[in-house]
Coordinates of all heavy atoms in Angstrom, one line a residue:
L62 N -3.4 16.3 0.0 CA -3.2 16.0 1.4 C -2.8 14.6 1.6 O -3.4 13.6 1.3 CB -4.6 16.3 2.2 CG -5.1 17.6 2.3 CD1 -6.4 17.7 3.1 CD2 -4.0 18.6 2.8
I63 N -1.7 14.4 2.3 CA -1.0 13.0 2.4 C -0.2 12.9 3.6 O 0.5 13.9 4.0 CB -0.2 12.8 1.1 CG1 0.2 11.3 1.1 CG2 0.9 13.7 0.9 CD1 0.5 10.8 -0.3
D64 N -0.2 11.8 4.3 CA 0.5 11.6 5.5 C 2.1 11.7 5.1 O 2.5 11.2 4.1 CB 0.3 10.2 6.1 CG 1.2 9.8 7.2 OD1 1.3 10.6 8.2 OD2 2.0 8.8 7.1
R86 N 0.8 18.3 0.5 CA 0.6 19.0 1.9 C 0.6 17.9 2.9 O -0.3 17.1 2.9 CB -0.7 19.8 1.8 CG -0.8 20.8 0.7 CD 0.1 22.0 0.9 NE 0.1 22.6 2.2 CZ -0.8 23.5 2.6 NH1 -1.7 24.0 1.8 NH2 -0.8 24.0 3.9
L87 N 1.6 18.0 3.8 CA 1.8 16.8 4.6 C 1.0 16.8 5.9 O 1.0 17.8 6.7 CB 3.3 16.7 5.0 CG 4.2 16.5 3.7 CD1 5.7 16.4 4.1 CD2 3.8 15.4 2.9
L88 N 0.4 15.7 6.2 CA -0.4 15.5 7.4 C 0.4 14.8 8.5 O 1.2 13.9 8.2 CB -1.6 14.6 7.1 CG -2.7 15.3 6.2 CD1 -3.6 14.2 5.6 CD2 -3.4 16.3 6.9
P89 N 0.3 15.2 9.7 CA 1.1 14.7 10.8 C 0.6 13.4 11.4 O 0.3 13.3 12.6 CB 1.1 15.8 11.9 CG -0.3 16.4 11.7 CD -0.6 16.2 10.2
I94 N -1.6 7.3 10.8 CA -3.0 7.6 11.1 C -3.1 9.0 11.5 O -2.6 9.6 12.4 CB -3.6 6.8 12.3 CG1 -3.2 5.3 12.2 CG2 -5.1 7.0 12.5 CD1 -3.9 4.5 11.1
F95 N -3.9 9.8 10.7 CA -4.2 11.2 10.9 C -5.6 11.4 11.2 O -6.5 10.4 11.2 CB -3.7 12.1 9.8 CG -4.2 11.6 8.5 CD1 -5.5 12.0 8.0 CD2 -3.4 10.8 7.6 CE1 -5.9 11.6 6.8 CE2 -3.8 10.4 6.4 CZ -5.1 10.7 6.0
T96 N -6.1 12.6 11.7 CA -7.4 12.8 12.3 C -8.1 13.8 11.4 O -7.5 14.6 10.6 CB -7.3 13.4 13.7 OG1 -6.7 14.6 13.6 CG2 -6.5 12.5 14.5
P97 N -9.5 13.9 11.6 CA -10.2 14.9 10.8 C -9.7 16.3 11.2 O -9.7 17.2 10.4 CB -11.6 14.7 11.4 CG -11.7 13.3 11.9 CD -10.3 13.0 12.3
A98 N -9.3 16.5 12.4 CA -8.7 17.9 12.9 C -7.5 18.1 12.0 O -7.2 19.3 11.6 CB -8.4 17.8 14.4
D99 N -6.6 17.1 11.8 CA -5.4 17.3 11.0 C -5.8 17.8 9.6 O -5.2 18.7 9.0 CB -4.6 16.1 10.9 CG -4.0 15.6 12.2 OD1 -3.8 16.4 13.1 OD2 -3.8 14.3 12.4
V100 N -6.8 17.1 9.0 CA -7.3 17.5 7.6 C -7.9 19.0 7.6 O -7.5 19.7 6.8 CB -8.4 16.5 7.2 CG1 -8.9 16.9 5.9 CG2 -7.8 15.1 7.1
R101 N -8.7 19.2 8.5 CA -9.4 20.5 8.7 C -8.2 21.6 8.8 O -8.4 22.7 8.3 CB -10.4 20.6 9.8 CG -11.6 19.9 9.5 CD -12.7 20.2 10.5 NE -13.8 19.3 10.5 CZ -14.7 19.3 9.5 NH1 -14.7 20.3 8.6 NH2 -15.7 18.3 9.5
A102 N -7.2 21.3 9.6 CA -6.1 22.3 9.9 C -5.5 22.8 8.5 O -5.0 23.9 8.3 CB -5.2 21.8 10.9
M103 N -5.4 21.8 7.7 CA -4.7 22.1 6.4 C -5.6 22.8 5.4 O -5.1 23.5 4.5 CB -4.4 20.8 5.6 CG -3.2 20.0 6.2 SD -1.8 20.9 5.7 CE -0.5 19.8 6.4
L104 N -6.9 22.8 5.7 CA -7.9 23.4 4.7 C -8.1 24.9 5.1 O -8.6 25.7 4.3 CB -9.2 22.7 4.7 CG -9.0 21.2 4.3 CD1 -10.3 20.5 4.4 CD2 -8.5 21.2 2.8
G105 N -7.7 25.2 6.4 CA -7.9 26.7 6.7 C -9.3 27.1 7.0 O -10.2 26.2 6.8
I119 N -6.7 22.3 -2.8 CA -6.6 20.9 -2.4 C -7.6 20.1 -3.1 O -8.9 20.3 -3.0 CB -6.8 20.7 -0.9 CG1 -5.9 21.6 -0.1 CG2 -6.6 19.3 -0.5 CD1 -4.4 21.4 -0.1
L121 N -7.2 16.4 -3.5 CA -7.1 14.9 -3.2 C -6.6 14.7 -1.8 O -5.7 15.4 -1.3 CB -6.2 14.3 -4.2 CG -5.9 12.8 -4.2 CD1 -7.2 12.0 -4.4 CD2 -4.8 12.3 -5.2
L122 N -7.2 13.7 -1.2 CA -6.8 13.2 0.1 C -6.3 11.7 -0.1 O -7.1 10.9 -0.6 CB -7.9 13.3 1.2 CG -7.6 12.6 2.5 CD1 -6.6 13.3 3.3 CD2 -8.9 12.3 3.3
C123 N -5.1 11.5 0.3 CA -4.5 10.1 0.2 C -4.4 9.4 1.6 O -4.0 10.1 2.5 CB -3.2 10.0 -0.5 SG -3.2 10.5 -2.2
L124 N -4.7 8.2 1.6 CA -4.6 7.4 2.9 C -4.0 6.0 2.5 O -4.2 5.5 1.4 CB -6.0 7.3 3.4 CG -6.4 6.8 4.7 CD1 -7.7 7.5 5.1 CD2 -6.6 5.4 4.8
W136 N -5.9 1.0 9.7 CA -6.9 2.1 10.1 C -8.2 1.5 10.6 O -8.7 0.6 10.0 CB -7.2 2.8 8.8 CG -6.2 4.0 8.5 CD1 -5.0 3.9 7.9 CD2 -6.4 5.3 8.6 NE1 -4.5 5.0 7.6 CE2 -5.3 6.0 8.1 CE3 -7.4 6.1 9.1 CZ2 -5.1 7.4 8.1 CZ3 -7.3 7.5 9.1 CH2 -6.2 8.1 8.6
Q140 N -12.3 5.7 11.8 CA -11.2 6.7 11.5 C -11.3 7.1 10.1 O -11.2 8.2 9.7 CB -9.8 6.2 11.9 CG -9.7 5.9 13.5 CD -8.4 5.2 13.7 OE1 -8.0 4.3 13.0 NE2 -7.6 5.8 14.6
I141 N -11.4 6.1 9.2 CA -11.5 6.3 7.8 C -12.7 7.1 7.5 O -12.7 8.1 6.7 CB -11.5 4.9 7.0 CG1 -10.2 4.2 7.2 CG2 -11.9 5.2 5.5 CD1 -10.2 2.8 6.5
A143 N -14.4 9.1 9.4 CA -14.2 10.6 9.9 C -13.4 11.4 8.9 O -13.7 12.6 8.6 CB -13.7 10.5 11.3
V144 N -12.2 10.9 8.5 CA -11.4 11.8 7.6 C -11.9 11.9 6.2 O -11.9 13.0 5.5 CB -9.9 11.3 7.6 CG1 -9.3 11.4 8.9 CG2 -9.7 9.9 7.1
T145 N -12.5 10.9 5.7 CA -13.0 10.9 4.4 C -14.4 11.8 4.2 O -14.6 12.4 3.3 CB -13.3 9.5 3.7 OG1 -14.1 8.8 4.5 CG2 -11.9 8.9 3.4
D146 N -15.0 11.8 5.4 CA -16.2 12.7 5.5 C -15.9 14.2 5.3 O -16.5 14.9 4.6 CB -16.9 12.5 6.9 CG -17.9 11.4 6.9 OD1 -18.1 10.7 5.8 OD2 -18.5 11.1 8.0
V147 N -14.7 14.5 5.9 CA -14.3 15.9 5.8 C -13.9 16.2 4.4 O -14.3 17.2 3.8 CB -13.0 16.2 6.7 CG1 -12.6 17.6 6.5 CG2 -13.3 15.9 8.2
A148 N -13.3 15.2 3.7 CA -12.9 15.4 2.2 C -14.1 15.6 1.5 O -14.3 16.5 0.7 CB -12.1 14.2 1.8
R149 N -15.2 14.7 1.6 CA -16.3 14.8 0.9 C -17.1 16.1 1.1 O -17.6 16.8 0.1 CB -17.3 13.6 1.2 CG -17.4 12.7 0.1 CD -18.4 11.5 0.4 NE -18.0 10.9 1.6 CZ -17.0 10.0 1.8 NH1 -16.4 9.6 0.7 NH2 -16.7 9.5 3.0
K151 N -15.8 18.8 1.7 CA -15.1 20.0 1.0 C -14.9 19.7 -0.5 O -14.2 20.5 -1.2 CB -13.7 20.1 1.7 CG -13.7 20.4 3.1 CD -14.2 21.7 3.5 CE -14.2 22.0 4.9 NZ -14.9 23.4 5.2
I153 N -13.4 17.2 -2.0 CA -12.0 16.7 -2.2 C -12.1 15.2 -2.5 O -12.7 14.5 -1.8 CB -11.1 17.0 -1.1 CG1 -10.9 18.5 -0.8 CG2 -9.8 16.2 -1.1 CD1 -10.2 18.8 0.5
T155 N -10.8 11.2 -2.9 CA -10.1 10.4 -2.0 C -9.5 9.2 -2.6 O -10.1 8.6 -3.5 CB -11.1 9.9 -0.8 OG1 -12.1 9.3 -1.4 CG2 -11.5 11.0 0.1

Side-chain angles (χ1 to χ4, degrees):
L62 294 181
I63 187 159
D64 170 59
R86 300 291 311 277
L87 300 182
L88 295 164
I94 313 289
F95 49 84
T96 65
D99 296 331
V100 175
R101 285 191 195 281
M103 283 291 185
L104 297 174
I119 305 291
L121 181 63
L122 171 72
C123 291
L124 195 151
W136 275 78
Q140 295 171 312
I141 291 175
V144 295
T145 54
D146 275 356
V147 177
R149 247 181 310 279
K151 303 287 181 187
I153 295 169
T155 53

